Amino acid sequence: MAREFTSVGVVGLGTMGAGIVEVFARNGIDVVAVEISAGALERGRATLTGSTDRAVAKGKLAEADRDALLARVDWQVGLDALHSVDLVIEAVPEHLDLKQRIFAELDRVCKPEAILATNTSSLSVTEISVATTRPNQVIGIHFFNPAPVMKLVEVVRTVVTSADVVADVEALCERLGKVDVTISDRAGFIANALLFGYLNHAVGMFESRYATREDIDAAMKLGCGLPMGPLALMDLIGLDTAYEILDTMYRRGGRDRRHAPVPLIKQMVTAGLLGRKSGRGFYTYERPGSPVVVPDEHTPVSTGAALADGARAIAKVGVVGSGTMATGIIEVFAKAGYEVISVTRGAEKSAKVCEAVKTSLNKGVVRGKLSEEGRDAALGRVTWSATLDHLADVDLVVEAVVEELSVKKALFASLDEICKPGVVLATTTSSLPVIDVAMATQRPADVIGLHFFNPAPIMPLVEIVQTIRTSAETAATARAVCAGLGKTGVVCGDRSGFIVNALLFPYLNDAVKMLEASYSTADDIDYAMKLGCGYPMGPFELLDVVGLDVSLAIQRELYLELREPGFAPAPLLEHLVTAGYLGRKSGRGFRDHTKR
Ligand SMILES: NC(=O)c1ccc[n+]([C@@H]2O[C@H](COP(=O)([O-])OP(=O)(O)OC[C@H]3O[C@@H](n4cnc5c(N)ncnc54)[C@H](O)[C@@H]3O)[C@@H](O)[C@H]2O)c1
């Protein structure tokens, strides 16, 4: 018969524990909340009252329900208070010896039939379980941060966990309104195994001053639709916890260098910069525990004047190319009031691009986002041409031709001959080194990358790629142009993948490797990232949309340039591409789209 869970214990009321208490108490289950000291207990209680008070203020919880919720919690110092609970969830710091000690103690204190669960993110549940005399009743119940909000729970069964314990915990998760994925005991389970390499890589970018904290975070939020950027997420997780998770994953997960904690993390932990909980991490917060970021000495000045400092005036823009990106970019500039000269390789192509821009602008009118006058004015600003010579007096050229270095280099050499001095020459390449096209001209200081995202009229992000020869004036001009387009421009160096692709594709590749290793299913991995981390799409959904061939090409570039063994393309990805399973566009990728 299935177990009844009427009373549960939570040990450790920090970032996770306090939230877990709330999850149970909200669902009518009595909780014994345990901490190591009266002070820590008080902090845990304050977290819960703060969270429930906010829910009341937002109208999400009635006052009477809040009072009933709080009345269900019994606050106690010391594990002895847990003698009669049906289940304990441990959420103390991520140290194996500490957890083992606590489990040995829980085994002694708790009634024989009680289930003992750990909320560990990366430690071996099996190793924790053997500290007790009931390893078959030990299980991982991994909640996500913030626990009351995130829908996912990873249920981790070890080789000795009883099937009935797994089934009862799964039923409990359902009762809590959570979606569970049940998996075996591997470092990082699903979500963290895919998340932490990415987070560590982002910290590495920040540490090497490849881009600023604001730009790294904005790039991932705006370029991928993530709920928060990686550095803000590190602050939410807690840098001490993140350090321990990375360190454990490095040791348990095959010593993948991508999990070796970036040295800056340890330095920040030592300096007490733990993230939100200590009031300062990558960002500075109003006070410890507050989610409100306040300006500090690293906060950039983002006024228009500062953005335009040193920028050249841009009125007339040439856009070269006739594909999806060129079409979108023409529309973006024309709508923003720039005079645009579109150059394609022939009148027929120009007519097609013109038609595509019209169709897109008309959609804007139908959706009420653009007036008819606005559409006509935008179209009136575009001149259609098939000759590069018409770019002689533009202030900025945006190149969006085929992604082939020889073609781009030849084009830049021509632009160098045709364009007036002082023009800014921009390439939209997403994978080629910008310096290569810059050196095809005699004026590399004027060359920069402007990496728009598809569809350009909708995506708010542009990566501004500075080479080692790009002048400050050119960079300032690019920033001012992005601001003029109403886009967020993030500045980064000229490395493969820039910010977004360098952080995104290795994660997608890791998901493929996880599937290939049969650790979990595509559906569960997609759920884990969507419900555990708030991603708008799971990795396999996204791969099918982006195209497996495109993803493989980007991953290969990253691997070739950075020589990171962990970036080697997943063999399964290669095989699917070889087999012609390219994603939605071919009807089949990781999923069969012909049946939907
Ligand atoms: N932070 C996250 O985003 C996150 C997400 C999922 C899982 N986890 C996991 O949850 C666990 C807790 O992490 P956290 O971020 O909440 O840590 P935390 O440092 O915020 O909180 C840990 C709490 O445990 C208490 N504690 C320490 N020793 C204790 C003892 N002997 N008895 C009772 N309480 C004790 C501490 O006083 C502290 O309040 C870790 O295993 C972590 O990997 C964390």
Side-chain angles (χ1 to χ4, degrees), residues 50-327:
S51 169
T52 47
D53 286 351
R54 276 196 302 277
V56 170
K58 283 187 194 156
K60 290 185 174 169
L61 188 68
E63 261 180 56
D65 290 339
R66 176 206 41 207
D67 297 344
L69 186 163
L70 294 176
R72 278 184 209 113
V73 187
D74 174 14
W75 304 91
Q76 296 288 341
V77 172
L79 301 177
D80 287 338
L82 299 167
H83 50 80
S84 52
V85 297
D86 305 309
L87 162 78
V88 179
I89 300 199
E90 161 281 309
V92 304
E94 191 77 344
H95 298 293
L96 182 61
D97 52 346
L98 172 65
K99 292 197 192 255
Q100 283 183 323
R101 243 187 308 123
I102 286 186
F103 271 72
E105 189 65 14
L106 287 172
D107 190 32
R108 196 181 55 74
V109 169
C110 294
K111 57 188 187 186
E113 63 275 25
I115 293 176
L116 307 180
T118 173
N119 184 50
T120 183
S121 308
S122 58
L123 295 167
S124 160
V125 179
T126 317
E127 279 182 67
I128 294 171
S129 78
V130 294
T132 72
T133 58
R134 52 178 114 176
N136 57 335
Q137 280 162 243
V138 175
I139 192 164
I141 304 185
H142 184 232
F143 285 89
F144 286 75
N145 188 2
V149 179
M150 301 313 284
K151 278 256 173 256
L152 185 77
V153 175
E154 287 173 327
V155 173
V156 186
R157 73 168 124 62
T158 73
V159 284
V160 287
T161 313
S162 311
D164 60 294
V165 168
V166 176
D168 291 345
V169 166
E170 286 172 342
L172 174 66
C173 291
E174 202 178 317
R175 181 175 159 199
L176 298 174
K178 301 289 184 192
V179 174
D180 74 272
V181 293
T182 301
I183 45 191
S184 59
D185 187 15
R186 204 175 107 162
F189 315 128
I190 299 177
N192 285 348
L194 297 180
L195 183 69
F196 271 82
Y198 147 73
L199 293 178
N200 203 35
H201 189 179
V203 176
M205 281 184 176
F206 173 75
E207 188 193 50
S208 63
R209 296 170 197 255
Y210 179 67
T212 64
R213 62 182 186 189
E214 282 82 7
D215 282 0
I216 293 171
D217 279 354
M220 296 315 284
K221 272 170 70 175
L222 303 178
C224 304
L226 304 188
M228 54 170 63
L231 302 177
L233 180 54
M234 287 288 288
D235 277 358
L236 174 68
I237 292 169
L239 269 70
D240 49 346
T241 301
Y243 177 87
E244 294 303 333
I245 294 173
L246 280 166
D247 189 50
T248 311
M249 286 186 39
Y250 175 75
R251 283 185 282 106
R252 284 185 69 205
R255 301 194 179 258
D256 183 341
R257 284 190 345 185
R258 293 178 302 155
H259 292 139
V262 166
L264 178 65
I265 302 175
K266 187 59 178 272
Q267 291 161 29
M268 290 175 72
V269 171
T270 309
L273 309 178
L274 305 182
R276 277 192 200 183
K277 61 181 157 190
S278 71
R280 181 148 189 178
F282 288 100
Y283 295 91
T284 303
Y285 299 85
E286 212 171 25
R287 61 191 136 67
S290 163
V292 180
V293 173
V294 293
D296 59 20
E297 69 275 22
H298 300 301
T299 305
V301 193
S302 59
T303 61
L307 270 175
D309 201 15
R312 296 176 194 155
I314 304 287
K316 211 168 180 186
V317 180
V319 180
V320 187
S322 50
T324 315
M325 289 314 289
T327 309

